[in-house]
Amino acid sequence: MKKATVLEQVKTPDGSVQALVERDGHYMIWVNGRELMSTRHAYSEEQLGVVGCHDLARRKRARVLIGGLGLGFTLRAALSTLGKDAQVVVAELMPEVVTWNRNPAYPLASAALSDPRTTVELGDVAALIGESVARFDAILLDADNETTAMNTAGNSSLYKAAGLASITRALTPGGCVVYWSVAEDPALVRRLTQAGYGVESRRVRRHETSDRSGYHYLIVARHLVAGS
């Protein structure tokens, strides 16, 4: 195996070092030397976009929020699933991550970011959700809050009662929120149920063709409206 090459790096607001790294033709984001995501194992992140947008594929002017750009897996999958008049907003805290993905020298998300359906809003996804009212048909989030430096500490509220209330306000009636999680999260499922959501926890492979790569989880929650 070749030695990893650090292509770009930046210090995050919490003092961590976030880096774009290449090894053996695969690209990774590391935080403090720990791999956060990789093009080698992207299937579950892609499924976040597919599952979150599946029911919106034929909806006119569907509006979707993605919390964090990462390496663009979820964004590309969402765009591939949605119609031509959809709008996908990506809330990204680190402008450098957007710059890395736009760089055509790296095979990342340059084309997806250039798609006219894509809008990038720099800043905290929790703040964007908090100021939104009935704006999104689906919200797609990374619930691995303990290990994801791209989330701010304040984003932990998005997995608690007050944050769930903000998400509900930001969603259109009957809208859904989907959380990507590295493991099962019964506490989050319970809180979502208590907040009036119908919840399903789905196990998905890290790699499309191999069980040996391990599994992640998608917690799919659709807000139940009166009479549904």
Side-chain angles (χ1 to χ4, degrees):
M1 180 179 292
K2 291 171 57 179
K3 182 179 178 181
T5 300
V6 176
L7 303 172
E8 312 273 2
Q9 68 178 30
V10 65
K11 184 168 286 189
T12 67
D14 68 358
S16 299
V17 176
Q18 185 168 311
L20 177 66
V21 178
E22 184 273 335
R23 180 166 59 199
D24 290 335
H26 290 278
Y27 290 77
M28 297 156 277
I29 287 181
W30 286 1
V31 174
N32 294 333
R34 179 180 179 181
E35 183 180 307
L36 186 65
M37 58 189 65
S38 169
T39 57
R40 188 186 302 272
H41 298 294
Y43 184 67
S44 64
E45 289 89 343
E46 292 169 349
Q47 286 301 295
L48 175 59
V50 172
V51 171
C53 297
H54 177 268
D55 290 344
L56 303 175
R58 296 185 180 180
R59 180 174 299 188
K60 293 183 177 179
R61 295 180 293 279
R63 295 167 293 175
V64 176
L65 171 64
I66 298 174
L69 176 59
L71 295 173
F73 308 127
T74 302
L75 173 60
R76 290 194 297 271
L79 292 171
S80 295
T81 305
L82 294 167
K84 294 181 179 179
D85 60 353
Q87 179 191 29
V88 180
V89 176
V90 180
E92 174 54 55
L93 185 64
M94 301 296 296
E96 293 84 358
V97 171
V98 180
T99 300
W100 300 348
N101 275 276
R102 288 194 187 279
N103 189 339
Y106 308 136
L108 301 175
S110 177
L113 289 169
S114 298
D115 191 301
R117 295 172 292 172
T118 302
T119 301
V120 175
E121 295 202 16
L122 294 174
D124 185 348
V125 67
L128 177 58
I129 289 172
E131 65 190 27
S132 300
V133 177
R135 180 178 176 184
F136 302 107
D137 300 304
I139 296 175
L140 314 181
L141 298 169
D142 178 350
D144 191 16
N145 203 57
E146 294 298 318
T147 59
T148 303
M150 285 183 290
N151 289 335
T152 65
N155 285 355
S156 62
S157 67
L158 294 176
Y159 320 111
K160 300 176 182 178
L164 296 181
S166 293
I167 288 171
T168 300
R169 287 192 297 271
L171 287 170
T172 55
C176 74
V177 56
V178 184
Y179 295 85
W180 180 97
S181 182
V182 71
E184 292 184 278
D185 194 336
L188 177 57
V189 170
R190 183 173 60 254
R191 287 193 292 269
L192 284 162
T193 302
Q194 292 170 345
Y197 287 84
V199 188
E200 175 189 3
S201 186
R202 301 188 188 185
R203 189 175 74 163
V204 292
R205 293 187 180 98
R206 291 182 64 199
H207 192 282
E208 182 177 9
T209 59
S210 175
D211 290 335
R212 295 181 180 180
S213 65
Y215 292 89
H216 291 145
Y217 289 80
L218 298 180
I219 300 168
V220 185
R222 183 170 301 282
H223 196 254
L224 302 177
V225 295
S228 64

